[in-house]
């Protein structure tokens, strides 16, 4: 039941006068960020296959991936730290780390370049997957691995179908194939 | 009859955190009418649904508003899940409920601070926001972000909360209960607060219902309408009774929000005790085709999410009716007859969230 009182807050106000401040002296006193803090994105560029899935998923269009040049670029001012790119990355080379990015006076793109390396069989060679019907056993592993759900495999009917529009040529199907029936050349 | 004059109020006003404009029609110092106008921060977020795929749009729906962010994510995802017939795991439902209740706590504490500030009670304002900071810290620990959590996805949630973190939330709720005592005592019983709020902007139950008020605005007039009672997410398993107050004045709205804070703390405890083990999300394949209306209870009241899918990955339409949209007509009714000096406090009692309203 409500009552009417006076000086209700006086006790708390007096206590607050003699209490240590609740705030901390940031930036002189460093902040202890929690483990899960989403501060900024980092990339392990040597693992990146430049499939461009992160670029297509980014809600704020803060990423640019160039497969030909082998570069991955981010505009840190456009990035909203939602973490969607991290969750879609098929190679898990993106991570969300602690700490905010430093302020700058100009909006700039930070570009990472993939180190030159000899092309391997499974790496994306710029093409889309092509299946060799003689080798394929229709095990459906490739369809399960596809991050875009672009492959439809029916074991009974012996059907292997690729949705070329959805395919980002990441090469995960080729590397998952136990019979090496997929080549990235389409 | 006194001479009528029109005084512009807003869009920039010390009491308003967001821009809304009112033309106040005055007779001497008494308000006889108010004409609201919005449109200062329209961003066209609903239209973006045609350009971003339905999974990507979760992040945009969340960014409609900073304070109701979790709720917008949950409302949108639940609507898409209903269209696609996706059954969300129970643990994900519970986690969504926990984040939703934490968000209600921080939204109500933010409002209490703003109200205290509008009344000129600065130390109470600071104290409310100091308490709110603990909830933001819990958000950061469990999800990685302080306000816009980006933790809900179509098919469940993205991050699990282990028992250690759940216990920490429990510990924080206990602490909050203790710290809220002097704050609640001051808001409900202090002479200054009572004389500022009591008898101000009275709305009867009939007036509130016919003007379409929602949330604490409606419950403050004695109508026990709360969408959580419908039992979406994990609310069906929790003990829940809508909080109401009878007076229908500014004080009653404040009382409803204060009691909802205590209720949220109890709901949090119950949800953490009952949360089952299990997966946190299910894979979602295919595209939505069909339409659905989803209603959820945001801290400010009932919000409606409408989605219409056409079988492609882009939705045809997303419509969001926010609580503030429905609370503007009752606010205009409420302002009639009040004094010019009471207008800022009265506008604040609907807890206006203009960025939600304009999307």
């Amino acid at each position: 039941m409500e009552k009417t009182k006076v000086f209700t807050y006086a006790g708390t106000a007096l206590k607050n006068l003699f209490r240590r401040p609740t705030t901390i002296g940031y930036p002189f006193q460093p902040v202890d960020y929690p483990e899960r803090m989403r501060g900024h994105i980092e990339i392990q560029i040597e693992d990146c296959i430049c499939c461009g899935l992160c670029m297509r998923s980014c809600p704020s269009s803060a990423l640019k991936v160039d497969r030909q040049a082998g570069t991955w670029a981010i505009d840190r001012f456009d990035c909203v730290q939602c973490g969607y790119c991290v969750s879609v990355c098929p190679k898990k080379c993106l991570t969300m780390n602690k700490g905010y990015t430093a302020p700058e006076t100009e909006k700039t793109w930070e570009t990472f370049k993939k180190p030159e390396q000899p092309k391997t069989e499974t790496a994306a060679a710029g093409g889309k997957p092509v299946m060799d019907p003689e080798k394929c056993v229709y095990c459906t592993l490739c369809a399960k691995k596809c991050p875009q759900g672009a492959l439809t495999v029916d074991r009974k009917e012996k059907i292997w179908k690729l949705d070329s529009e959805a395919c980002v040529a990441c090469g995960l199907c080729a590397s998952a194939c136990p019979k090496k029936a997929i080549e990235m050349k389409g | 009859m006194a001479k009528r004059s029109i005084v512009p109020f807003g869009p920039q006003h010390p009491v308003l955190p967001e821009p809304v404009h009112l033309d106040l029609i005055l007779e001497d110092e008494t308000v006889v009418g108010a004409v609201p106008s919005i449109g200062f921060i329209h961003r066209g977020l609903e239209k973006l649904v045609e350009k971003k795929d339905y999974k990507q749009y979760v992040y945009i729906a969340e960014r409609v508003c900073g304070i109701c962010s979790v709720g917008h994510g949950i409302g949108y995802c639940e609507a898409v899940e209903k269209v696609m017939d996706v059954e969300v795991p129970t643990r994900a439902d519970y986690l969504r409920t926990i984040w939703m209740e934490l968000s209600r706590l921080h939204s109500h504490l933010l409002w209490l601070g703003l109200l205290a500030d509008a009344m000129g009670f600065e130390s109470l304002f600071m104290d409310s926001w100091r308490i709110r900071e603990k909830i933001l810290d819990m958000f950061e620990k469990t999800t990685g972000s302080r306000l816009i959590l980006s933790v809900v996805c179509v098919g469940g949630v993205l991050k699990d909360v282990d028992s250690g973190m759940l216990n920490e939330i429990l510990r924080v709720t206990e602490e909050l209960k203790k710290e809220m005592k002097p704050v609640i005592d001051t808001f409900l019983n202090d002479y200054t607060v009572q004389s500022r709020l009591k008898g101000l902007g009275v709305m009867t139950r009939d007036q509130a219902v016919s003007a379409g008020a929602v949330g604490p605005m409606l419950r403050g007039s004695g109508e026990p309408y709360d969408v959580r009672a419908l039992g979406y997410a994990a609310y069906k398993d929790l003990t829940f009774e809508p909080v109401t107050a009878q007076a229908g004045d500014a004080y009653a709205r404040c009382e409803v929000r204060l009691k909802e804070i205590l209720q949220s703390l109890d709901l949090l405890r119950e949800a953490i005790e009952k949360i089952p083990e299990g997966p946190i999300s299910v894979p979602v394949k295919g595209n939505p085709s069909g339409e659905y209306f989803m209603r959820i209870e945001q801290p400010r009241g009932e919000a409606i999410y409408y989605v219409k899918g056409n079988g492609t990955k882009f939705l045809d339409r997303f419509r969001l009716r926010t609580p503030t949209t429905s609370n503007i007509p009752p606010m205009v009714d409420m302002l009639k007859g009040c004094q010019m000096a009471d207008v800022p406090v009265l506008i604040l009692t609907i807890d206006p969230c203009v960025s939600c309203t304009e999307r």
Side-chain angles (χ1 to χ4, degrees), chain A residues 2-9 12 19 22 34 36-38 56-59 61 80 82 84 100, chain B residues 52 55-56 59 63 123 127 130 140 142-145 148-150 160 185-186 189-191 194 198:
Chain A
E2 65 188 66
K3 317 161 253 199
T4 306
K5 297 197 249 177
V6 285
F7 296 120
T8 327
Y9 200 72
T12 320
R19 215 167 57 173
T22 312
R36 288 187 173 181
M37 191 231 180
R38 292 202 310 264
R56 286 161 206 228
S57 310
C58 181
S61 311
V80 290
C82 65
Y84 192 32
Y100 298 106
Chain B
K52 306 278 171 185
K55 285 183 183 170
Q56 211 175 4
Y59 300 101
R63 279 159 181 80
S123 37
D127 217 20
R130 179 184 61 81
E140 197 174 18
T142 51
T143 70
S145 196
I148 299 182
L149 307 187
S150 299
D160 202 356
D185 188 33
T186 312
N189 304 326
D190 193 78
Y191 171 73
Q194 282 188 359
K198 274 204 163 174

Side-chain angles (χ1 to χ4, degrees), chain B residues 31 196 200-201 335 337-348:
Chain B
V31 180
R196 190 75 190 88
L200 195 67
L335 287 177
C338 79
Q339 292 297 300
M340 171 70 182
D342 295 335
V343 173
V345 175
L346 274 180
I347 291 178
L348 211 70

Side-chain angles (χ1 to χ4, degrees), chain A residues 82-84 87, chain B residues 59 99 150-153 156-160 280-281:
Chain A
C82 65
Y84 192 32
S87 60
Chain B
Y59 300 101
W99 280 315
S150 299
V151 83
V152 186
C153 65
V157 292
L158 290 167
K159 283 187 179 131
D160 202 356
I280 54 161
S281 65

Side-chain angles (χ1 to χ4, degrees), chain B residues 250-291:
Chain B
Y251 178 82
R253 280 164 225 141
C254 177
E255 189 186 339
V256 167
R257 288 192 176 98
L258 284 166
K259 287 186 178 160
E260 278 188 5
I261 288 182
L262 296 177
Q263 185 191 43
S264 287
L265 290 171
D266 290 340
L267 281 172
L268 270 173
R269 166 167 281 282
E270 200 183 340
I272 291 172
E273 278 166 3
K274 283 185 177 170
I275 190 167
E277 288 297 323
I280 54 161
S281 65
V282 285
V284 178
K285 294 246 163 158
N287 296 318
S289 174
E291 52 187 340

Side-chain angles (χ1 to χ4, degrees), chain B residues 20-33:
Chain B
V20 63
H21 175 79
L22 284 168
D23 278 323
L24 297 172
I25 305 162
L26 302 182
E27 270 179 14
D28 293 337
E29 284 282 298
T30 313
V31 180
V32 292

